[in-house]
Structures are given as structure tokens and as C-alpha cells.
Amino acid sequence: MTTSLQDGQSAADRAAARDSPLAAQVCGAAQGRDDAHDPARAPWLHARALVPAPDGTRGCAADRRKKKDLDVLETPSIPNPFPELCCSPFTSVLSAGLFPKANSRKKQVIKVYSEDETSRALEVPSDITARDVCQLLILKNHYVDDHSWTLFEHLPHIGVERIIEDHELVTEVLSNWGMEEENKLFFRKNYAKYEFFKNPMMFLSSTTYPEIHGFLHAKEQGKKSWKKIYFLLRRSGLYFSTKGTSKEPRHLQFFSEFGSSDIYVSLTGRKKHGAPTHYGFCFKPNKAGGPRDLKMLCAEEEQSRTCWVTAIRLLKYGMQLYQNYMHPYQGRSGCSSQSISPMRSISENSLVAMDFSGQKSRVIENPTEALSVAVEEGLAWRKKGCLRLGVHGSPTASSQSSAANMAIHRSQPWFHHKISRDEAQRLIIQQGLVDGVFLVRDSQSNPKTFVLSMSHGQKIKHFQIIPIEDDGAMFHTLDDGHTRFTDLIQLVEFYQLNKGVLPCKLKHYCARMAL
């Protein structure tokens, strides 16, 4: 019982020491007295006790010790402002609670470029996905989200780029970049990203499970030469036949797998790698970035390259790619659909047509009436704009009005002033060879005409817009004057609603958006 009592007192003293520094002195004094009775705790005290001391000295020391203990006990208790610093001698002086907790979502600054080379820096968490970055840029720039905005990884030192899938972590992509590489993230539209799910027959020749195979040009490792080989795509990887077009397993040799490598589209294959065509693509390992690590391939036409790249993406990501298409707002970071406000396109879907011409406003419920009112307002706005652009005090001059009609299209996002035919094709290919992707540009062969460049059947076609004059007024036409338009805006709006002489309606315009 005596031992238990002493242990309880020691525990109580230590608890008091954690509450007050003065109580710590008392706890230390009591600890010393307990140690004096325990040889295991304080053997040095018993060693000193074996040496005899004079009686007077022993009595005076005992009196002084007793008086000092009484003074300490009579001192009023003062609360300790730092109780966490007083702890057991068997624990660390600084507890884990004193250290700042590590933030599991570290911030990182990334830089994203647009088509016109403007850029924007974003501070993002480490677990942000490519879709979340697109959502941030859409909100900051007030763009309409039509699920076609895409983040691209651009590697200029080897002349390739690829789509960063919506579920990929952007920081993981950046971690694979070298310190001296001038790689960039590009933000632009890609209408063909999920076109396979919308129009699978565009890529497949039959309704059965596709077997992707065919001839491709392959660059031999360590050499500058290219060789035409028969390739077959399997779930386990890409194989080529060592004997003509044979598909027998003994004639198939492994070329590349998908797990530890990404599929890139070549931008400068003919210039940097001596490719036989412009339609190159390659496999690049995740952890390596040199040109020697690339496995270069080349197709005969753009449709073939798109088919191969799409099939490889499907085999690499599988169901995840379909989930990205079906649920575009599911993100892993704090920029998910729960924390992002509704998109502009969602709010536009709730708009209604209103008529304010009478004494009371009313909602126009008839779609045909709403369309006619919108066309009338557009024409009225266009006439006012023509007068503002070219009149300068003489709005009745027909020549000035015609000049205004000729220049009103320059503010439209689908118009590209002076770009070449090759540049127009590059822009359309970058934003996806989907039926109806288009742009309007100046003609290089005839300065007074324009050219409508559009995609159809995974091919790019060009149509010349010819200006004609009738009774002193200028018009634009695509069909030798059978259908005339006062300006290019009217022409584009007509062919967005009607096929006319074009192979399909105009659906998506190519634009160079600034960040």
C-alpha cells in the first residue's frame, strides 16, 4: 500500500508540473525525496549517504531544506501560459501537435498558352486534372463550355503534341518534363476528342468489333530510313508482321505497348525526322524525352492517322475514356462540379425570346416567330453597324455602305485575315477533322475574294466566295450568284442553317482565342 501511495503521489506531482512551472519545482523536489528511498532510482544519493557528516551541518541543512519547501508550498499557484511545453521526461519536449500540419494539397503554378501565344498563369492544387484546368480557364475567360475545350501537351524539341485526357493529373504530366525543355501546355478546342462515341461509323468500316490493321511507315531505330510494314493492333500492344500481311502469331513481332508510353501526333515529322508524309505519330515513354526514345510511325493520309490514334487511346484508357465523355464535370480536385458555378452554356439554355414592341412585354413561345424576330433584329443591327463603320457624316453614300458591308466580318471569330492554305488546314486539323468545322480567310490568289475552308469526311475542302456587283451594290456568293448575301456574316449564318451547295452544314468555327 505504501508503494502504491507513493507512485500515485508521483503521478499527481508530474501532472501538476504540466500545469505550472512552480509546481514543477515541487514535483522535482518530491521526485528527489522519492529517489532517496529507492536505490534503483538514485544510487548516487545512497552512495553519499554512506559518508558520515557532522551533526551540526546535518541539522542546519535539514532546517534550510524544510524552510525552502515551506516557502515554495506557500507561493500562490500561477497558471502556466504554455502547458504544452511541460511534459513527461520520457516524451519529446516538442510534441507533434506543435508542428504545422503538412498540406496534402500543395499548390503549384502552371502556365497555359492559347493559339495566339498569349498565356495565363494559374495557381492550382497538386491533384488538379486536365478537365479542371479547362473549367478554370473557361470561367475566367467567360467562354461557352461545349465540352470541346482540351488541354494539349506540346513538346517543341521533338516536334510532337498530344491530348491530355480529362482525367489525367496535370502535375504528373509536368513532372516528366526536363528542366531545359521548353515544353508548353496549350488550351484550345478539339471537336474530334470524343467524336468516336458520337459517330463511330466515321472510324469503323463495319458494325462488328473493329480489327485495326494496315500498312504504316516505321522509322528504323538508330537510322534515318523508313520502312513500310504491315501493323496490327491488339489489346496487349502494337505488333508488326515479319512476313507480308500474315497475321499468324509466329510471324508477329512486338513493337510497342501502351501502359508506360503515350501516343503523340507529329507536327514536324518531315522536317525533323525525314518522314515520307505529313501524317506521323509516335510512341514516347513516360519517363524519357529524347528523340532516340521515340518509336515513329507515319500514315498515308489524315483519316488513317486519326483512326490509329483513336484506337490506341481507346485501348490504353478503356472505360475511363467513355466516362470522361459521359460525365465531363467529374473532377478529382476542388474544381469539380460541386464547387464550380454553372457554366455559361447552361444559363443560356434557360433564356427565352421576349417581345418588347407593345405596351406590355411577352414571351415568344412560337419557335418560328422567335427565329424571325432574331433575324430582323440582326439585320437591323447590321445596317446600323454599316452606317457606323463607313459613313463619317454621309450615310447615304452607297459606296461607303458597301465598303462597310465588306469589312463587317473582320470582327468575327471565324474570320482569319491573311493566312495561307496550309495554315488554314493546320488550324482545322488541330481543332478536329469533324464534319462542319470551318473558317473563312482571304484568298491568296485573288485579293478581292474570300475562301471558305471546311472539313467533311475527314478531309479539308476549300470553296471560293466570289463578290458580284448588281445595280451598284456588292454581294457575296458561293454558287455563281444564285444565292446572294450582302456580307459574309449573312453567308455564314445561311450555311449554318442550310447545306446548300456545301457537302454539309457549317457547325464549328475555328477561332484563335486569347487568354
Side-chain angles (χ1 to χ4, degrees):
M1 293 296 293
T2 304
T3 304
S4 301
L5 181 61
Q6 291 176 352
D7 293 341
Q9 291 176 349
S10 299
D13 295 337
R14 285 194 297 270
R18 288 193 294 269
D19 298 333
S20 173
L22 297 178
Q25 299 178 13
V26 179
C27 182
Q31 182 74 25
R33 287 195 297 272
D34 292 341
D35 290 344
H37 295 285
D38 191 352
R41 293 186 181 179
W44 60 89
L45 292 179
H46 288 269
R48 290 182 58 190
L50 296 177
V51 183
D55 295 339
T57 306
R58 186 183 305 170
C60 294
D63 294 340
R64 285 197 299 270
R65 190 183 306 113
K66 184 182 297 184
K67 183 176 180 181
K68 183 177 180 181
D69 292 345
L70 291 174
D71 292 340
V72 171
L73 292 173
E74 291 176 359
T75 304
S77 177
I78 301 176
N80 179 16
F82 306 105
E84 63 272 6
L85 295 180
C86 298
C87 56
S88 172
F90 301 103
T91 60
S92 175
V93 176
L94 295 179
S95 61
L98 296 178
F99 294 99
K101 294 183 179 180
N103 189 4
S104 59
R105 302 184 66 206
K106 296 181 180 179
K107 298 287 186 177
Q108 183 175 345
V109 177
I110 64 173
K111 198 171 186 180
V112 184
Y113 291 82
S114 66
E115 279 294 315
D116 62 349
E117 290 296 328
T118 58
S119 63
R120 169 165 263 180
L122 299 173
E123 186 180 19
V124 298
S126 59
D127 61 343
I128 193 168
T129 62
R131 179 59 191 170
D132 293 334
V133 173
C134 292
Q135 289 288 94
L136 285 176
L137 293 172
I138 289 169
L139 290 174
K140 288 180 179 294
N141 294 279
H142 307 288
Y143 294 153
V144 176
D145 186 10
D146 54 0
H147 310 314
S148 63
W149 292 102
T150 310
L151 206 62
F152 285 84
E153 179 187 10
H154 182 72
L155 310 180
H157 65 289
I158 54 179
V160 297
E161 73 174 14
R162 75 174 181 98
I163 294 174
I164 302 179
E165 303 296 346
D166 288 345
H167 66 276
E168 289 189 72
L169 298 181
V170 178
T171 53
E172 287 186 0
V173 175
L174 301 182
S175 64
N176 296 327
W177 292 1
M179 294 295 294
E180 298 180 356
E181 298 175 357
E182 297 180 356
N183 302 334
K184 294 180 179 179
L185 294 176
F186 274 95
F187 173 69
R188 64 170 180 264
K189 287 194 172 186
N190 184 11
Y191 298 104
K193 181 168 63 171
Y194 298 125
E195 187 65 17
F196 175 82
F197 301 114
K198 301 175 184 177
N199 186 17
M201 296 306 298
M202 183 177 179
F203 300 89
L204 308 178
S205 58
S206 64
T207 56
T208 59
Y209 183 82
E211 184 181 26
I212 308 299
H213 57 88
F215 282 99
L216 292 172
H217 298 274
K219 188 175 185 296
E220 299 185 66
Q221 291 291 334
K223 299 180 181 180
K224 295 183 178 180
S225 59
W226 291 72
K227 189 176 181 180
K228 195 171 183 178
I229 309 175
Y230 189 78
F231 280 87
L232 296 96
L233 195 61
R234 296 287 185 268
R235 184 174 296 275
S236 57
L238 183 64
Y239 297 82
F240 65 92
S241 177
T242 58
K243 188 178 180 181
T245 59
S246 175
K247 301 179 183 179
E248 296 184 15
R250 59 193 180 95
H251 294 149
L252 297 182
Q253 188 170 341
F254 181 77
F255 182 79
S256 178
E257 52 88 27
F258 313 135
S260 60
S261 59
D262 294 313
I263 183 71
Y264 288 78
V265 172
S266 178
L267 303 177
T268 57
R270 301 197 74 168
K271 182 178 180 180
K272 289 194 173 185
H273 306 286
T277 68
H278 293 284
Y279 313 111
F281 60 99
C282 67
F283 291 93
K284 175 183 170 296
N286 295 334
K287 302 301 181 183
R292 295 182 180 180
D293 301 315
L294 301 180
K295 294 185 178 180
M296 305 290 299
L297 297 170
C298 192
E300 292 289 347
E301 56 183 1
E302 180 60 35
Q303 183 176 3
S304 177
R305 177 173 70 171
T306 303
C307 183
W308 281 98
V309 173
T310 303
I312 292 170
R313 288 174 58 214
L314 288 171
L315 289 177
K316 178 178 174 64
Y317 299 107
M319 185 57 67
Q320 181 64 59
L321 209 62
Y322 182 70
Q323 292 177 355
N324 294 346
Y325 165 67
M326 294 299 296
H327 309 286
Y329 295 113
Q330 286 186 356
R332 290 179 57 179
S333 67
C335 305
S336 60
S337 59
Q338 286 79 11
S339 59
I340 291 182
S341 58
M343 296 294 98
R344 184 179 165 191
S345 58
I346 297 176
S347 63
E348 286 179 348
N349 291 336
S350 62
L351 298 178
V352 295
M354 299 288 295
D355 181 15
F356 297 97
S357 59
Q359 295 181 353
K360 294 183 179 181
S361 60
R362 67 181 182 91
V363 177
I364 304 176
E365 298 181 354
N366 188 355
T368 305
E369 182 185 1
L371 180 61
S372 62
V373 170
V375 172
E376 290 177 3
E377 289 185 356
L379 292 174
W381 172 86
R382 192 173 292 114
K383 291 178 182 179
K384 293 179 181 178
C386 293
L387 295 176
R388 287 196 302 268
L389 285 174
V391 291
H392 296 293
S394 57
T396 58
S398 61
S399 61
Q400 292 179 349
S401 178
S402 299
N405 287 340
M406 299 291 288
I408 195 174
H409 57 268
R410 297 187 181 274
S411 61
Q412 300 302 308
W414 41 257
F415 182 77
H416 299 260
H417 185 37
K418 292 181 179 181
I419 64 173
S420 63
R421 183 188 184 100
D422 294 338
E423 181 69 11
Q425 293 186 164
R426 187 188 68 83
L427 283 175
I428 294 177
I429 291 174
Q430 280 187 347
Q431 300 197 13
L433 286 179
V434 177
D435 289 353
V437 176
F438 75 98
L439 60 84
V440 180
R441 57 186 175 89
D442 289 318
S443 175
Q444 290 184 316
S445 58
N446 190 348
K448 295 182 180 181
T449 63
F450 303 95
V451 177
L452 172 66
S453 302
M454 64 175 298
S455 171
H456 179 258
Q458 293 192 337
K459 294 182 180 180
I460 299 175
K461 300 180 180 180
H462 306 273
F463 300 90
Q464 193 169 33
I465 303 173
I466 302 174
I468 59 174
E469 185 176 357
D470 188 9
D471 293 336
M474 295 296 298
F475 298 94
H476 299 278
T477 181
L478 276 173
D479 52 6
D480 297 330
H482 295 287
T483 309
R484 303 179 183 184
F485 306 95
T486 57
D487 52 54
L488 292 181
I489 297 178
Q490 198 178 56
L491 183 145
V492 170
E493 289 176 348
F494 175 83
Y495 286 106
Q496 284 178 328
L497 300 173
N498 306 276
K499 176 181 174 181
V501 296
L502 300 179
C504 66
K505 297 179 183 179
L506 302 181
K507 296 179 182 179
H508 313 291
Y509 59 83
C510 286
R512 288 177 171 174
M513 298 292 189
L515 291 178

